[in-house]
Amino acid sequence: CLAPRALLLLNGHGSFFHLSISIYQQKKFREFLFSENFIGIHSPKLIGGSSEGGASVFKLEYNGQPACLAQSPQLYKQMSICGGFGRVFEVGPVFRAEKSNTHRHLCEFIGLDAEMEIKEHYFEVCDIIDGLFVAIFKHLNENCQKELETINRQYPFEPLKYLEKTLKLTYEEGIKMLKEAGTEIEPMGDLNTEAEKKLGRLVKEKYGTEFFILYRYPLAVRPFYTMPCYDDPAYSNSFDVFIRGEEIISGAQRIHTPELLRKRAIECGIDASTIASYIESFSYGAPPHGGFGVGLERVVMLFCALNNIRKTSLFPRDPQRLAP
């Protein structure tokens, strides 16, 4: 019998029912993308170089060769697009060696990733996200009432407010809203946690939604494979998605020419030789494409308005925790 101990996770941090929400969300993620003609793939988690750039990788030795755990399936999603798959997605573990002892970071989590060809504009990717998450929110509210009510008794929260057609704002519009509210942001800089939360409150007050997309970020704050804007290369064809003032998705149109990819990798401090096979895959021609990555546990945390991501994971891994 699960009750009443069902209210507590085996790790003592959260609820059995949070896991149910995670499972339902994964199921709906797959169902929706299958309905949109995506193909499910499984990429390797042992790789020879950084997926995202930077030093936040778990390094190891692989039969005498330097290797690391994958920060994301990013490179393999794109290589699949180059191979003619058209639209792909993956559900699998992601590893980040960041020393982030915060309420919203884990060193290992479940990533929900997707990549697709772009026919005309990278908003096509945003449209998939719009339809996907509206479908997920509706599915959870309609089919997980028992679980949500149980969670609400232990961790009271207000239902998430969202629009049938997801709100999109430019990075500059977001910065303007923050400045008008008295918050100064470093020019062409990324938003810190405090600024994200404040913008979330401002958007909720003005537009009546807690779920929105912020797009056209400065290129300098995005990964090396992000496509610069054609009209102004200081900006990028990229976007983030927010729930209750916290980022859940980072996505963009990707660079699909090997020369620009190699140049951007070097500019971002990545040894191009460690991702040579990735760069080479574009030398045979690749369609314009884009995609996104979602942290499952963070979405569950924010959908249920929890105060700590560890409550959504059965066996959480953070910078201090390696057992059980």
Side-chain angles (χ1 to χ4, degrees):
C1 180
L2 290 172
R5 293 183 62 191
L7 289 176
L8 296 176
L9 269 177
L10 298 180
N11 65 15
H13 280 289
S15 161
F16 164 84
F17 293 99
H18 297 138
L19 298 185
S20 298
I21 298 300
S22 296
I23 292 167
Y24 276 113
Q25 184 179 316
Q26 288 184 60
K27 181 173 180 286
K28 194 61 183 178
F29 179 84
R30 289 187 174 96
E31 284 181 358
F32 181 88
L33 293 183
F34 278 135
S35 75
E36 294 289 334
N37 299 315
F38 280 75
I39 299 169
I41 63 170
H42 297 284
S43 63
K45 305 309 168 192
L46 287 170
I47 60 176
S50 168
S51 310
E52 301 287 333
S56 58
V57 295
F58 289 105
K59 298 179 180 180
L60 53 99
E61 183 180 304
Y62 185 72
N63 295 325
Q65 303 176 67
C68 62
L69 295 176
Q71 294 166 294
S72 82
Q74 182 59 46
L75 311 187
Y76 297 96
K77 290 190 303 176
Q78 289 188 257
M79 291 168 74
S80 298
I81 297 299
C82 291
F85 280 57
R87 293 181 164 195
V88 298
F89 76 88
E90 177 170 359
V91 177
V94 171
F95 302 91
R96 301 285 170 90
E98 298 171 284
K99 300 296 189 294
S100 299
N101 292 290
T102 75
H103 74 285
R104 65 176 188 171
H105 286 93
L106 292 173
C107 291
E108 179 182 354
F109 58 90
I110 300 300
L112 311 177
D113 282 84
E115 203 78 17
M116 57 184 278
E117 288 185 15
I118 293 172
K119 303 302 182 184
E120 295 182 5
H121 196 279
Y122 74 98
F123 275 8
E124 293 163 28
V125 183
C126 295
D127 291 341
I128 288 291
I129 292 171
D130 178 5
L132 170 64
F133 276 87
V134 169
I136 287 175
F137 297 154
K138 286 182 177 179
H139 181 77
L140 295 178
N141 287 328
E142 293 171 1
N143 297 282
C144 302
Q145 292 180 4
K146 176 185 175 182
E147 290 85 353
L148 292 173
E149 288 170 2
T150 302
I151 293 168
N152 209 347
R153 284 199 297 271
Q154 187 174 11
Y155 304 105
F157 68 94
E158 293 294 324
L160 180 71
K161 292 185 176 181
Y162 63 93
L163 304 175
E164 287 294 322
K165 181 63 180 176
T166 302
L167 174 71
K168 289 197 288 285
L169 298 171
T170 66
Y171 167 87
E172 290 180 326
E173 287 173 326
I175 296 301
K176 182 181 178 182
M177 289 177 68
L178 286 168
K179 287 183 176 180
E180 289 175 349
T183 299
E184 288 299 320
I185 304 296
E186 179 185 350
M188 304 298 280
D190 208 353
L191 300 182
N192 59 30
T193 301
E194 182 182 347
E196 286 181 358
K197 289 185 176 181
K198 186 165 186 178
L199 181 59
R201 292 193 296 270
L202 294 171
V203 168
K204 182 181 178 182
E205 291 170 5
K206 185 173 182 179
Y207 297 101
T209 181
E210 296 175 286
F211 178 70
F212 67 96
I213 298 172
L214 198 66
Y215 68 97
R216 194 180 163 92
Y217 273 75
L219 183 64
V221 301
R222 308 304 285 196
F224 76 94
Y225 48 76
T226 305
M227 179 66 78
C229 282
Y230 298 112
D231 61 335
D232 187 347
Y235 290 90
S236 60
N237 289 353
S238 64
F239 55 87
D240 280 353
V241 183
F242 297 86
I243 293 180
R244 300 189 197 269
E246 297 197 44
E247 177 249 313
I248 61 158
I249 293 177
S250 183
Q253 180 180 352
R254 323 300 189 183
I255 295 171
H256 57 277
T257 58
E259 298 80 14
L260 183 55
L261 259 181
R262 185 175 292 105
K263 177 175 178 290
R264 286 290 298 146
I266 294 170
E267 289 174 351
C268 291
I270 297 172
D271 182 353
S273 66
T274 65
I275 54 172
S277 59
Y278 164 67
I279 295 175
E280 183 183 357
S281 68
F282 293 92
S283 64
Y284 301 100
H289 59 280
F292 60 92
V294 189
L296 173 64
E297 291 87 345
R298 189 178 293 186
V299 175
V300 175
M301 177 188 77
L302 294 169
F303 184 80
C304 296
L306 298 168
N307 62 0
N308 198 302
I309 196 169
R310 292 158 186 81
K311 293 175 179 175
T312 70
S313 176
L314 184 59
F315 301 111
R317 289 292 178 262
D318 59 30
Q320 308 302 323
R321 181 167 179 160
L322 196 56

